[in-house]
Amino acid sequence: MTNTKKVIRTFAPLVGGLIIGRLTAKAQDDYKQYEKPPFSPPAIAFPIVWPILYTSMGVAYKIATDKVESADERNVLKRVHYTQLGLNYAWSILYFNLKLRKVALIESFALLAAGNIAATKFYQADKVSGALMVPYVSWLSYASYLNSGNVVLNKDKAGYTRD
């Protein structure tokens, strides 16, 4: 694989995250008006945390795929990586743009499972790669808590959800 392809694959999660951030930017104003569960972070935390997490998952993916020897192993890593990444991007659209907050909640737990599978597969390929996924999986757990709390606290409020 060329160095250009390696760089693109490493930073693809970050670029995708920036695109999703743009697509959901206006919808996030809607989110600010609703009640938040305890321990919710300030809004400024999200644009700080997510680029770090997207970059670390891209680096983890690159390290893991460089460590495995067979094309079959690389394909497994590719599938788990892009599955969890696709679920990650979809959550933002479901929650912010479509206001399908309950669907997004269910999807957040599927994403958490997919993130754990990716972290485990990366760890099996390379311990550092797996360790780089720990903050991401931890944040996914926290995000599922936040999503759950938001649904419970706001489900009966006009305009909160379309599902």
Side-chain angles (χ1 to χ4, degrees), residues 107-151:
E107 200 265 14
S108 77
F109 287 103
L111 171 56
L112 178 58
N116 274 294
I117 291 167
T120 300
K121 293 293 185 186
F122 288 7
Y123 182 82
Q124 290 168 348
D126 179 79
K127 288 181 178 30
V128 171
S129 177
L132 283 168
M133 294 293 285
V134 170
Y136 174 60
V137 172
S138 298
W139 188 269
L140 292 178
S141 299
Y142 180 54
S144 291
Y145 156 76
L146 293 173
N147 193 166
S148 299
N150 281 306
V151 167

Side-chain angles (χ1 to χ4, degrees), residues 64-137:
T65 55
D66 283 353
K67 292 289 181 164
V68 296
E69 295 180 17
S70 76
D72 287 343
E73 290 174 302
R74 274 188 294 284
N75 285 334
V76 167
L77 294 174
K78 183 178 182 178
R79 278 195 303 275
V80 298
H81 175 66
Y82 286 108
T83 296
Q84 65 83 23
L85 194 56
L87 288 168
N88 182 301
Y89 297 154
W91 182 91
S92 295
I93 300 298
L94 290 169
Y95 190 90
F96 291 114
N97 289 43
L98 300 177
K99 288 189 177 185
L100 297 173
R101 313 277 164 105
K102 294 172 190 170
V103 172
L105 175 59
I106 294 164
E107 200 265 14
S108 77
F109 287 103
L111 171 56
L112 178 58
N116 274 294
I117 291 167
T120 300
K121 293 293 185 186
F122 288 7
Y123 182 82
Q124 290 168 348
D126 179 79
K127 288 181 178 30
V128 171
S129 177
L132 283 168
M133 294 293 285
V134 170
Y136 174 60
V137 172

Side-chain angles (χ1 to χ4, degrees), residues 11-78:
F11 291 103
L14 176 62
V15 171
L18 293 171
I19 292 167
I20 290 297
R22 289 282 188 192
L23 292 174
T24 61
K26 289 182 182 177
Q28 291 182 29
D29 291 338
D30 166 75
Y31 173 76
K32 293 175 187 174
Q33 66 182 314
Y34 295 104
E35 191 174 348
K36 310 291 180 292
F39 310 109
S40 292
I44 190 65
F46 296 100
I48 295 169
V49 169
W50 276 110
I52 295 167
L53 295 175
Y54 283 130
T55 301
S56 67
M57 79 174 78
V59 170
Y61 175 63
K62 190 234 181 264
I63 292 170
T65 55
D66 283 353
K67 292 289 181 164
V68 296
E69 295 180 17
S70 76
D72 287 343
E73 290 174 302
R74 274 188 294 284
N75 285 334
V76 167
L77 294 174
K78 183 178 182 178

